[in-house]
Every structure is written in structure tokens, then in C-alpha cells.
Amino acid sequence: MNTKKNIIIDCDPGIDDSLALLLALQSEEFNVVGITIVSGNAPAAIGAQNALKVLQLVNRLDIPVYIGAEEPLKVPFESAQDTHGEDGLGNSQIPPVTSVQPKTEAVSFIQKTLQQNPGTTVFALGPLTNIALALKEDPNCFAEASRFIAMGGSYLSHGNCSPVAEYNFWCDPEAAKFVFSQNLPVSIEMVGLDVTRKIVLTPTILEYMKHTDEQIYQFIQQITQFYFDYHWEHETVLGCVINDPLTIAYALDPTLAKGFNSHVEIATTGISRGQSIVDDHNFWQLPNNSYILTDVDQTAFWHLFLSRVCKAEGSQLSQVLPQLLEVRS
Ligand code: BDR
Ligand code: CA
């Protein structure tokens, strides 16, 4: 019997999306039914090509990639190519995949997959445009979903696009607002900046990858160099924050992060555009629609990530992890 969990990854690859894809693809617990692409870090067509590059790297071009929304629901599209590179992969010059073409109709793929495969988990790693469109057309499409885990928003941490807004919710605030207002049958597991900011790929961790899987190391090194430089220039950080893989790691090991249930709404306009407002004092007396992550075990994350993506050997990893993480608080 196939006991693998069916998953859909809706994403905007994207440097950290690509690392999340690698983690999911290297995890035997998951059957990646399809990858759906939304415009975000890069326009959707570029994102689709990047998903194919990741699939090619791990010999999984059998997994279909679907292009979805090219524009947010209402606001003009603003990519994050300043941080992810013109090609969305840190200007890494990885040749395009020509043997397979991405499909279209990401939204109907999401709807059909959720309908036909009860128990599917949906990961949303980009702006929520595709998910909002799926729900607008079919408000019940999440009826049989198992989990919905979204990288986006923040609770107490500051934003990365404005003092209060995280990019995915800021990029398409109407989509985020709509999705959170739907009283979905599953709680939205909000993996926001409070926790993802703590996941920093440092030069030391990258250096360790060199001693594990050479091909994977080359790929990660190529796509993250630009991101490293951006973090140094803008934040004086050595390394780069990788947000998206934490969603996958948390789904694989729920003990790796924790949070609390609350009602969350998304602001759409003015200085609070894209802010996730968490009613942690229950002012609004509204049903909980989300589970907001607040704490993450960084050591457990890196143990999982390195052992799966880089195939780092368990006892060596336990020995080396304290060295990799000792200077991070
Ligand atoms: C989110 O925005 C994107 O830049 C990343 O891929 C991540 O999904 C972080 O704010
Ligand atoms: Ca992303």
C-alpha cells in the first residue's frame, strides 16, 4: 500500500522555494503530485522554469509543473528579482530545461487534485493568488484537504517589505485576505517571519555541504551566492535567510516548531498593506482560522535539511552541527 502523503507545492521559485522543493523531493514520506507556480519572486513563467531545473537536478522531471496566476488579484505585480536575481535563481546561469514544458491551469489542477485525492496537503510558498482563485471558483475545494501550510506573514517580528508586512502577503494582499477570510475546514498553518528568520544558511553550513553531496552543493552554492551578497549589503548578515523550507521540515517533523491558534486577518491597503493581524487577545471573538508558529528548533531543522537534501550521514552530522550553529543565537 502506498502510504506516502500526497502534496501540492504552490510556489514562486525563488531561491528558498527551490530549497523547499529539494527538501520535499528528497523526503520519502511525500508524493509530490504537482508543483503549481504563481508570480512572486519572479514572473510565473520564470518560476516554472526554475521548478523544472530543480526537478531535473533530482531526476524527477516526471512531476508536472503548472503555471498559474501571472498577476495579483488587484494590485500591480512587483516581483522580488532584486533579491532573487533576474532569473529568480540568483542569476546562476543554470541552463533552461528544454525536454519538458510546464503545463498551464494551475488553479484547476489544485481543485481537481484536492477533490480526487482526499487527504492531500497543500503548501503555499508564494503569494496566495492561485489558492485564492481556486477558492473563489470552488469555495469547498479544501473540504477534503489534510493540511494547509503557508509561508507568509509575521506575528511579532517586523516585516521584510514594510515595517509590518512580509513579501508573500504584501505582494497580493487581496488574495491573502480572501484566503484567511474563508473559514477553511483546515487551519492555516502560518509559517511566518517570526520563525523563518531564524533559519539562516551561513557560509559555514554551505562549506559543510561541500563535504556531503557535491552536485547538490554546487547547485545550492550557485543559487545562493547572489542572496548571500544581498544579505550582506542590506542587512550585514553573513549568509541568507531561507524561509520556505521550514514549511516542509515542519510538516515532516511537527516537533520542530510550535505556536498557537488564533484568528488572523490580513490588511490590504495603506501603510499596513499585507500585514497579518493576529488577534492573540481575542478582541474580535472570532473563530480561530490559523495556527501561528512562534518557536523553531534550528538544530532540528538543520539536522533534517542536511540529512535529507545533502544526504549528510547521521553520526557525522550530530558531531558537526554544534560547530555549524555555535555562533547563531
Ligand atoms: C517569502 O518571500 C519570498 O521572497 C520567499 O521566497 C519567501 O516565500 C519571504 O518573505
Ligand atoms: Ca517563496
Side-chain angles (χ1 to χ4, degrees):
M1 197 176 96
N2 182 6
T3 52
K4 291 187 181 206
K5 161 78 61 195
N6 286 330
I7 68 169
I8 297 172
I9 306 179
D10 186 68
C11 59
D12 59 337
I15 296 166
D16 58 335
D17 299 79
S18 302
L19 299 177
L21 289 175
L22 279 178
L23 179 56
L25 293 163
Q26 305 286 60
S27 293
E28 287 188 348
E29 297 87 335
F30 289 153
N31 173 36
V32 184
V33 185
I35 299 170
T36 55
I37 309 292
V38 63
S39 282
N41 290 321
I46 296 179
Q49 185 49 241
N50 293 340
L52 291 174
K53 289 175 188 172
V54 175
L55 290 173
Q56 177 161 268
L57 177 71
V58 292
N59 294 319
R60 290 304 313 270
L61 281 171
D62 56 299
I63 297 174
V65 174
Y66 296 83
I67 297 180
E70 290 177 8
E71 298 277 331
L73 295 184
K74 189 166 160 200
V75 296
F77 172 49
E78 286 190 48
S79 77
Q81 283 159 296
D82 57 338
T83 45
H84 290 258
E86 277 306 303
D87 67 350
L89 278 189
N91 296 333
S92 51
Q93 317 279 339
I94 297 169
V97 174
T98 50
S99 56
V100 176
Q101 293 304 310
K103 301 171 192 290
T104 54
E105 311 295 339
V107 171
S108 60
F109 170 77
I110 294 170
Q111 293 166 331
K112 273 191 219 140
T113 305
L114 287 175
Q115 226 171 48
Q116 292 166 6
N117 302 279
T120 298
T121 287
V122 178
F123 292 92
L125 312 181
L128 291 172
T129 324
N130 285 343
I131 306 296
L133 289 170
L135 283 162
K136 273 179 190 278
E137 260 179 39
D138 177 3
N140 294 320
C141 69
F142 272 72
E144 301 295 332
S146 158
R147 294 174 73 178
F148 176 34
I149 307 178
M151 191 283 135
S154 63
Y155 165 49
L156 298 177
S157 196
H158 59 89
N160 58 6
C161 275
S162 82
V164 295
E166 177 282 325
Y167 175 75
N168 289 338
F169 292 0
W170 178 91
C171 179
D172 192 344
E174 275 76 19
K177 181 182 173 64
F178 181 78
V179 171
F180 277 81
S181 69
Q182 290 309 290
N183 292 320
L184 296 177
V186 286
S187 187
I188 303 171
E189 298 177 65
M190 190 179 111
V191 184
L193 295 174
D194 301 85
V195 280
T196 65
R197 254 201 184 108
K198 296 184 183 144
I199 306 298
V200 180
L201 171 60
T202 61
T204 319
I205 297 174
L206 194 58
E207 176 70 16
Y208 173 60
M209 288 178 182
K210 202 197 275 184
H211 305 294
T212 57
D213 183 313
E214 178 66 23
Q215 209 190 1
I216 296 285
Y217 161 73
Q218 291 290 350
F219 180 83
I220 296 181
Q221 195 277 333
Q222 268 178 302
I223 69 169
T224 54
Q225 190 55 59
F226 181 89
Y227 214 23
F228 270 42
D229 293 342
Y230 182 91
H231 277 73
W232 176 250
E233 279 156 32
H234 292 83
E235 298 172 30
T236 329
V237 164
L238 279 172
C240 59
V241 174
I242 53 164
N243 302 280
D244 294 332
L246 182 57
T247 55
I248 310 286
Y250 167 62
L252 288 164
D253 177 3
T255 67
L256 183 142
K258 61 178 191 291
F260 66 100
N261 291 304
S262 188
H263 184 86
V264 176
E265 302 223 356
I266 312 300
T268 53
T269 54
I271 58 172
S272 55
R273 166 179 163 170
Q275 181 177 13
S276 43
I277 303 172
V278 179
D279 187 14
D280 58 353
H281 283 69
N282 203 16
F283 284 101
W284 297 326
Q285 302 274 304
L286 289 168
N288 294 334
N289 58 1
S290 309
Y291 182 73
I292 297 104
L293 292 192
T294 53
D295 294 291
V296 60
D297 179 343
Q298 298 158 43
T299 309
F301 170 83
W302 282 112
H303 195 287
L304 185 85
F305 186 90
L306 291 166
S307 60
R308 305 244 172 154
V309 174
C310 304
K311 314 198 192 54
E313 193 265 312
S315 62
Q316 180 195 69
L317 194 48
S318 304
Q319 200 183 331
V320 95
L321 265 175
Q323 298 175 53
L324 300 182
L325 300 173
E326 68 187 343
V327 289
R328 301 225 57 85
S329 57

